[in-house]
Amino acid sequence: MPFVRLRHLRKNAGVRDLVSETGLAVSGLIMPYFVCEGKNTKERIDSLPGIYRLSIDNLIKDVKEAKNLGIKTVLIFGVSKDKDSRATPAYRKDGIVQKAVTQIKKDIGDIAVITDVCLCGYTTHGHCGIVVSPAAGRRPPDKFIIDNDYTLEILAKIALSHAKAGADFVAPSAMMDGQVKAIRDILDMNGFSCTKILGYSAKYASSFYGPFREALGSRPEFGDRKTYQMDYRNTDEALLEVGQDIKEGADIVMVKPALAYLDIISRVKQNFNIPLAAFNVSGEYSLVKEGAKKGIVNERDIILEILTAIKRAGADLIITYHAKEVAKWLRQ
């Protein structure tokens, strides 16, 4: 009888809100940005409608707008035309991410800045680690391996350079074994023990990353990333990866992608007492935008439903390209 009565009362919108079990909050949304060289630059990304590659001056304007909407955290990806096989542009003092973080902290200050720590956007081959090919001289190689230990050295250098620029969190996304420990060690040794780590702990080899790779210019020149990103058929492996990152010093762990991995988010939340982020990735975003454009779905309703599902599964924080528009809706 009580259930029947409650179900009847839910016909009233105010009561529905009152008894809802899950709610979105702007403070739990993280807005990702692509920052590029140049001045007054705002480059369209065809597969990510409404998202742009921004020069630092335009990035500052957009981050200020996001902050005014109540968004307290941003995630910065660097778009670099300067690439080599060892990703050396990624850890230069005057690198694009380093300059962007410094400027955000100077002009805005009171906003948390997370920086992506990876090699893929800075390597000529587009992989997340240093490539060693047994088929030397053949391009593209029919076989290749990633030098995990050498990659850790590069990731640590990138993270340290971001910390020096003022990043609050560094977020290693390369899925190399031991990446969190390597970064925690170098940060602590250089006096950056207060710089936190957001680990891309359960990052799957997914088909949902296509638009992101266009935006960053990080599509692999050969092969794929299945040798170091997780198999989407596995769930227990995610718990092992998350547990290892926590042991190595991660302050926040993450599941990526989000929508097709709600079960993983739920299992991680049930098994670990640590802040949990989920990445509502580019492919998820673009499919919604395309569906809305064609009138297949109601854009506002489906975005709120998707993000609420991610939250309901157990995510404390959601990285999403929808962050600004959702922040506007939640204020209405």
Side-chain angles (χ1 to χ4, degrees):
M1 184 64 70
F3 172 75
V4 175
R5 187 180 301 118
L6 183 58
R7 184 172 61 188
H8 174 72
L9 289 173
R10 281 177 181 158
K11 293 178 181 178
N12 179 294
V15 173
R16 285 175 64 88
D17 290 341
L18 181 66
V19 300
S20 64
E21 299 173 21
T22 307
L24 288 175
V26 179
S27 59
L29 301 179
I30 299 171
M31 182 69 196
Y33 286 100
F34 298 99
V35 60
C36 63
E37 297 286 359
K39 213 168 186 180
N40 197 27
T41 301
K42 187 175 182 179
E43 297 177 351
R44 289 182 55 187
I45 303 168
D46 290 340
S47 60
L48 277 172
I51 303 299
Y52 301 88
R53 301 180 192 92
L54 301 172
S55 54
I56 292 175
D57 52 343
N58 280 331
L59 172 70
I60 295 298
K61 294 176 185 177
D62 210 287
V63 172
K64 284 181 178 178
E65 180 185 351
K67 182 183 177 184
N68 289 337
L69 290 170
I71 295 170
K72 300 180 178 180
T73 309
V74 296
L75 171 59
I76 305 298
F77 294 96
V79 180
S80 178
K81 293 181 180 178
D82 189 8
K83 305 173 187 279
D84 61 30
S85 63
R86 296 293 184 262
T88 55
Y91 53 86
R92 290 176 183 160
K93 184 179 180 179
D94 62 347
I96 184 60
V97 171
Q98 291 82 347
K99 290 188 294 186
V101 172
T102 299
Q103 202 64 42
I104 290 172
K105 288 299 181 180
K106 178 182 177 183
D107 291 356
I108 304 175
D110 188 22
I111 193 164
V113 178
I114 305 170
T115 58
D116 180 71
V117 176
C118 196
L119 277 61
C120 61
Y122 302 88
T123 55
T124 49
H125 47 69
H127 278 284
C128 301
I130 302 299
V131 171
V132 179
S133 173
R138 296 178 61 182
R139 289 292 183 269
D142 47 14
K143 292 183 180 180
F144 69 95
I145 60 173
I146 300 292
D147 188 329
N148 190 94
D149 291 348
Y150 187 12
T151 301
L152 294 184
E153 295 179 21
I154 305 300
L155 292 171
K157 289 181 180 180
I158 297 170
L160 180 59
S161 71
H162 290 181
K164 288 179 177 179
D168 300 288
F169 281 84
V170 291
S173 61
M175 285 301 285
M176 297 293 123
D177 293 338
Q179 62 184 15
V180 171
K181 184 179 186 303
I183 289 171
R184 186 71 272 159
D185 286 349
I186 198 170
L187 292 177
D188 290 350
M189 285 189 295
N190 285 272
F192 291 96
S193 58
C194 290
T195 304
K196 306 301 183 184
I197 299 176
L198 188 163
Y200 282 64
S201 304
K203 180 180 179 181
Y204 284 84
S206 171
S207 297
F208 284 100
Y209 301 148
F212 173 89
R213 291 172 182 172
E214 178 201 339
L216 202 65
S218 61
R219 198 175 303 277
E221 184 186 39
F222 49 82
D224 55 42
R225 295 172 178 161
K226 293 179 179 178
T227 58
Y228 46 96
Q229 293 179 356
M230 289 177 52
D231 187 335
Y232 61 74
R233 297 171 293 186
N234 295 352
T235 58
D236 291 343
E237 182 185 4
L239 300 184
L240 292 173
E241 294 283 359
V242 169
Q244 187 60 42
D245 275 7
I246 293 171
K247 288 180 182 178
E248 293 180 11
D251 299 281
I252 301 174
V253 295
M254 182 161 68
V255 174
K256 180 182 179 181
L259 186 56
Y261 297 84
L262 297 179
D263 60 321
I264 308 301
I265 296 171
S266 180
R267 287 197 69 188
V268 171
K269 190 62 178 178
Q270 291 169 13
N271 281 272
F272 300 99
N273 183 26
I274 188 172
L276 172 60
F279 204 140
N280 177 218
V281 297
S282 61
E284 297 167 358
Y285 172 91
S286 296
L287 287 172
V288 167
K289 289 294 183 180
E290 187 65 21
K293 179 181 177 181
K294 293 183 176 180
I296 298 171
V297 295
N298 178 292
E299 184 173 2
R300 182 182 186 278
D301 289 352
I302 198 168
I303 290 170
L304 291 175
E305 183 177 348
I306 287 170
L307 296 190
T308 300
I310 296 168
K311 180 75 173 177
R312 190 183 67 235
D316 301 297
L317 306 167
I318 303 174
I319 302 168
T320 177
Y321 300 95
H322 297 295
K324 284 173 59 184
E325 54 193 338
V326 170
K328 293 175 184 176
W329 295 335
L330 293 179
R331 297 179 77 176
Q332 295 172 355

